[in-house]
Amino acid sequence: MTGFSADWLALREPFDVAARDDALARAFLARVPEGGRVVDLGAGAGSNIGRLRALAAQEGRRLSWLHVDDDEALLATARRRFAGDDAVAFARLDLAAALEAALDGAAAVTCAALVDLVSGEWIARFAAALAARRLPLLAVLTYDGRMEWTPADASDPVVARAFHRDMVRDKGFGAALGPDSAFALDEALRAHGATTTLRDSDWRIAAADEAMLGAMLGGIGEAASRAARGDEGRAIAAWATRRARQRAAGALSLVVGHQDLDASWR
Ligand SMILES: C[S@@+](CC[C@H](N)C(=O)[O-])C[C@H]1O[C@@H](n2cnc3c(N)ncnc32)[C@H](O)[C@@H]1O
């Protein structure tokens, strides 16, 4: 288990869909030859394939998809989602070990909300593998370190600092790059000669999005507390209490910064 529940992925999906840069995705899809296989790494419950498939269908394109993940429960959820669609195949692989095997037969590669989990070493390996195969990449929804609460709170920077410290824990790929990862991947791909575009794809979580705000407060508060140093723990607990009160009063909103990255080869 990697710890991402199908419920959490379902909760975030509408925010992902609203945040994604569809123009970038269309440019990526235009590079995939008809019938070509798009490999989705860390595909979870199928949100990224679902969105890309819908965009391809709008252009009258029918591509094939390989859904790769190492979490059996999420694979089962995705199999149910795409039941009866023979354009979607599935592979259970640990991408820390079997990245190159996952790319076998690919015409293009995509991933969503994966890159902020991986290490600098894995990013270098990923960029080299894509360059060697000249594979286009669309890597969407990588957290980029921006967390903008409204109203602002004096302890927001303390919470963000501790949260980012927690993010760089090893998630199975070596110490994660967290908020720096989209920019590191962009740089690594350009060093191999890729042409890249980075675009903001921010979650906009309004006061009315109570369930998502609750999940964000819970997840961020818990991660920040886990990584707290010295008296940060006390500041984070007091922050969580204030934020919970504001959420209950419908007086809290949040923007979470993400990056969508498109890479191609001349
Ligand atoms: C934040 S979730 C994103 C899921 C999906 N791409 C989406 O956007 O909804 C990260 C995904 O990466 C997968 N993952 C994490 N480590 C992995 C590994 N070592 N090998 C394969 N998949 C992995 C998790 O199981 C999870 O589905």
Side-chain angles (χ1 to χ4, degrees):
M1 270 298 289
T2 47
F4 295 94
S5 75
D7 285 349
W8 161 241
L9 297 182
L11 180 62
R12 63 173 285 170
E13 182 163 350
F15 296 90
D16 287 345
V17 169
R20 300 171 61 116
D21 190 310
D22 283 345
L24 215 58
R26 286 195 178 91
F28 164 77
L29 289 168
R31 285 186 215 106
V32 186
E34 197 57 26
R37 170 176 270 191
V38 182
V39 175
D40 187 6
L41 304 175
S47 164
N48 189 30
I49 290 178
R51 184 63 189 156
L52 291 176
R53 201 175 55 152
L55 292 176
Q58 285 170 13
E59 309 289 329
R61 308 278 318 280
R62 189 167 159 78
L63 305 175
S64 73
W65 310 90
L66 179 65
H67 178 294
V68 178
D69 209 287
D70 71 344
D71 185 319
E72 196 47 58
L74 293 177
L75 276 160
T77 304
R79 279 197 181 90
R80 284 193 294 278
R81 177 177 186 151
F82 299 120
D85 185 342
D86 61 7
V88 186
F90 300 88
R92 183 175 185 184
L93 290 173
D94 173 3
L95 291 167
L99 167 64
E100 291 75 9
L103 303 182
D104 272 356
V109 178
T110 186
C111 58
L114 176 76
V115 173
D116 45 37
L117 306 179
V118 305
S119 61
E121 290 73 20
W122 194 89
I123 281 177
R125 179 175 154 203
F126 188 32
L130 294 171
R133 295 163 180 77
R134 288 293 189 261
L135 287 170
L137 170 71
L138 181 72
V140 299
L141 296 160
T142 307
Y143 175 62
D144 69 3
R146 288 174 298 130
M147 197 193 298
E148 293 153 17
W149 300 91
T150 302
D153 184 287
S155 293
D156 288 346
V158 178
V159 172
R161 217 168 23 249
F163 177 67
H164 293 156
R165 206 180 289 139
D166 186 72
M167 267 202 97
V168 299
R169 271 184 307 117
D170 185 342
K171 316 270 175 33
F173 296 90
L177 278 190
D180 297 329
S181 55
F183 308 106
L185 179 58
D186 180 58
E187 206 174 300
L189 288 163
R190 280 191 286 110
H192 281 285
T195 302
T196 64
T197 308
L198 272 173
R199 293 264 167 76
D200 289 354
S201 54
D202 300 350
W203 279 347
R204 298 187 179 280
I205 309 171
D209 301 320
E210 269 187 64
M212 186 63 167
L213 274 178
M216 295 305 293
L217 284 177
I220 291 168
E222 200 180 296
S225 305
R226 193 164 47 222
R229 290 181 186 154
D231 58 7
E232 283 177 348
R234 238 173 335 118
I236 293 165
W239 174 91
T241 304
R242 286 193 296 279
R243 289 314 199 184
R245 215 176 288 130
Q246 289 165 340
R247 170 183 167 250
L252 183 65
S253 63
L254 172 64
V255 174
V256 179
H258 292 103
Q259 296 294 311
D260 284 4
L261 169 64
D262 173 68
S264 62
W265 309 91
R266 270 182 284 270

